[in-house]
């Protein structure tokens, strides 16, 4: 997202994200990509973009790329209301790249190498199949999204809203899929004849991702259409693989696109919680003076792994691959400000003075290990 354009070559050009008063660390959430993936769109009340210097000044230099303020829905009214919304969708590849069919490819080879000394050798390498590699790696998928929320007030004194959502999306590239569960709770009580207003917000998210090897897309466009996907005699997981006279894989050859997807498993799990408590007090003896305190936390934990079979044509020569990683992030903040607003009717003017203090702490840790499955160093280690 770019609000004020790119202004730095080395620093981030991303805007500052604020969700219910909590500034978010949007510097990459492991396994989820954009931090906005953690928010259920059905929970959003408003999405405000601040780009002017005066509007972003309170946030300091971190707002130099603009600010996105997201406010989620709160409880209101007294009667209990239950709402449900859901949708189902079908995803299909919009268009395929035009490539030669198997018969066109055979004709091309016959014409290109006719009269050459290696004509018979080249023709003998052609297969007997008619494979559309793009249709082998892409698919039509069925996706669902379900959200339910409860809105009301506890004893007509504490407005509340609770929501739960589930989103399940399968990518059109085989083996790519995402499933997300979200839950949120907000309480908005008032005390002392509305002089003290309290907003308590908490939202949790659990996300599962499986990432497909996108190298399969380019590979499917250049793979020989006369070859079949599978080969029962292949020692490389049963997938057709280009090999030389020594029966070893030809490293510079195009790898089987389907094997790139089926013989790898790249997945991640992410847990995220964003919560805050905000207190807004209109001073009894000086109602023109407001005191506002906001305490917030953004916590996430993610873990993942990537496995490529030691028999996979793409990694056979290296011995396959296995890895695991994890990450923890914690972002805490305290904001306090006082604001005095006084109308001076006799001057047709008003006074608006605000002063405050803000503290924020970012914490991040993680580790990673990766190794080959069937290849070892001089000491016998993977």
């Amino acid at each position: 997202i770019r609000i004020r354009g790119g202004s730095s070559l080395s620093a981030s050009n991303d805007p500052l994200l604020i969700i219910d008063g909590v500034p978010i660390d949007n510097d990459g959430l492991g396994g989820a990509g954009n931090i906005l993936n953690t928010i259920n769109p059905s929970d959003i009340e408003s999405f405000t973009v601040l780009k002017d210097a005066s509007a972003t000044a309170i946030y300091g230099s971190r707002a130099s790329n603009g600010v996105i303020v997201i406010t989620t829905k709160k409880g209101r009214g007294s009667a209990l209301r239950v709402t449900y919304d859901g949708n189902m969708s079908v995803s299909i590849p919009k268009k395929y790249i035009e490539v030669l069919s198997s018969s066109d490819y055979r004709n091309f080879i016959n014409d290109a190498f006719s009269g050459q000394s290696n004509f018979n050798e080249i023709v003998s390498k052609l297969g007997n199949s008619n494979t559309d590699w793009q249709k082998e790696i892409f698919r039509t998928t069925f996706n669902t999204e379900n959200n339910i929320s409860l809105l009301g007030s506890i004893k007509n004194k504490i407005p509340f809203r609770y929501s739960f959502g589930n989103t399940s999306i399968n990518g059109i590239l085989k083996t790519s899929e995402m499933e997300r569960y979200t839950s949120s709770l907000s309480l908005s009580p008032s005390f002392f004849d509305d002089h003290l207003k309290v907003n308590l917000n908490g939202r949790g998210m659990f996300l599962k991702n499986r990432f497909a090897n996108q190298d399969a897309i380019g590979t499917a466009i250049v793979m020989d259409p006369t070859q079949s996907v599978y080969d029962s005699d292949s020692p490389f997981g049963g997938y057709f693989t280009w090999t030389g006279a020594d029966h070893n894989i030809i490293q510079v050859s195009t790898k089987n696109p389907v094997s790139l997807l089926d013989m790898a498993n790249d997945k991640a799990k992410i847990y995220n919680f964003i919560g805050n408590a905000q207190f807004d007090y209109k001073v009894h003896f000086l109602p023109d003076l407001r005191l506002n305190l906001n305490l917030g936390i953004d916590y996430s934990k993610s873990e993942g792994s990537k496995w490529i079979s030691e028999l996979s044509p793409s990694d056979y020569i290296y011995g396959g691959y296995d890895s695991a990683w994890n990450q923890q992030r914690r972002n805490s903040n305290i904001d306090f400000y006082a604001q005095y607003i006084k109308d001076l009717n006799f001057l047709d003017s008003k006074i608006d003075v605000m002063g405050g203090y803000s503290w924020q702490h970012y914490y991040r840790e993680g580790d990673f290990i990766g190794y080959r499955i069937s290849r070892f160093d001089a000491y016998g280690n993977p």
Side-chain angles (χ1 to χ4, degrees), residues 256-270:
N256 189 315
V258 180
S259 73
L260 293 177
L261 299 174
D262 290 345
M263 302 189 77
N265 192 350
D266 186 359
K267 57 186 180 181
K269 294 181 180 179
I270 305 98

Side-chain angles (χ1 to χ4, degrees), residues 35 55 358:
I35 189 69
S358 179

Side-chain angles (χ1 to χ4, degrees), residues 18-309:
I18 297 179
I19 302 175
D20 286 333
V22 181
I24 302 299
D25 177 9
N26 60 354
D27 188 20
L29 178 58
N34 194 308
I35 189 69
L36 292 176
N37 288 340
T38 65
I39 304 174
N40 186 339
S42 295
D43 289 338
I44 295 177
E45 179 76 35
S46 63
F47 190 102
T48 305
V49 177
L50 306 178
K51 57 184 178 179
D52 297 327
S54 59
T56 61
I58 189 174
Y59 302 109
S61 60
R62 57 186 173 170
S64 59
N65 297 314
V67 181
I68 293 176
V69 180
I70 297 175
T71 303
T72 58
K73 296 176 181 177
K74 305 292 189 293
R76 58 180 180 268
S78 57
L80 178 65
R81 288 193 299 161
V82 179
T83 62
Y84 167 81
D85 65 86
N87 68 70
M88 296 176 289
S89 62
V90 175
S91 298
I92 61 174
K94 182 178 180 181
K95 188 178 182 181
Y96 293 104
I97 300 295
E98 282 193 36
V99 295
L100 296 178
S101 66
S102 58
S103 58
D104 291 334
Y105 187 70
R106 290 188 183 93
N107 292 335
F108 166 76
I109 292 297
N110 286 322
D111 293 340
F113 290 91
S114 178
Q116 302 289 332
S117 59
N118 60 346
F119 175 79
N120 291 330
E121 178 189 2
I122 296 296
V123 172
S124 68
K125 293 183 182 295
L126 292 172
N128 300 314
S129 298
N130 182 17
T131 304
D132 188 330
W133 289 103
Q134 293 181 83
K135 292 185 178 178
E136 293 293 336
I137 65 168
F138 288 116
R139 62 184 177 182
T140 298
T141 66
F142 181 71
N143 314 302
T144 60
E145 182 175 8
N146 299 279
N147 299 288
I148 187 170
S149 65
L150 285 74
L151 190 73
S153 180
I154 301 174
K155 295 184 177 180
N156 292 327
K157 293 182 178 180
I158 305 178
F160 76 93
R161 182 181 185 272
Y162 172 77
S163 71
F164 176 82
N166 167 253
T167 302
S168 180
I169 298 177
N170 295 302
I172 59 172
L173 183 61
K174 289 180 179 178
T175 73
S176 63
E177 56 190 36
M178 182 274 280
E179 188 158 16
R180 180 183 65 194
Y181 298 89
T182 60
S183 182
S184 69
L185 174 66
S186 70
L187 302 172
S188 309
S190 297
F191 305 94
F192 311 127
D193 294 328
D194 287 343
H195 275 260
L196 176 61
K197 296 181 180 180
V198 179
N199 278 311
L200 304 175
N201 301 289
R203 61 190 61 260
M205 184 276 303
F206 173 62
L207 178 68
K208 290 195 301 182
N209 268 328
R210 181 175 178 185
F211 307 100
N213 186 348
Q214 297 187 22
D215 290 344
I217 299 174
T219 305
I221 296 173
V222 298
M223 186 66 178
D224 180 357
T226 69
Q227 307 299 337
S228 61
V229 177
Y230 305 101
D231 178 2
S232 58
D233 296 327
S234 171
F236 308 108
Y239 292 89
F240 169 80
T241 305
W242 287 112
T243 57
D246 56 359
H247 303 294
N248 289 323
I249 293 177
I250 302 173
Q251 280 303 106
V252 297
S253 66
T254 304
K255 302 302 183 290
N256 189 315
V258 180
S259 73
L260 293 177
L261 299 174
D262 290 345
M263 302 189 77
N265 192 350
D266 186 359
K267 57 186 180 181
K269 294 181 180 179
I270 305 98
Y271 306 84
N272 178 254
F273 174 80
I274 300 175
N276 79 304
Q278 188 174 40
F279 305 88
D280 188 271
Y281 176 53
K282 183 169 64 174
V283 180
H284 277 75
F285 57 86
L286 190 60
D288 295 325
L289 177 63
R290 288 177 53 242
L291 305 178
N292 191 286
L293 174 66
N294 183 48
L295 310 173
I297 186 170
D298 169 22
Y299 174 80
S300 67
K301 179 181 179 182
S302 51
E303 59 188 34
S305 62
K306 184 176 183 179
W307 171 85
I308 302 175
S309 170

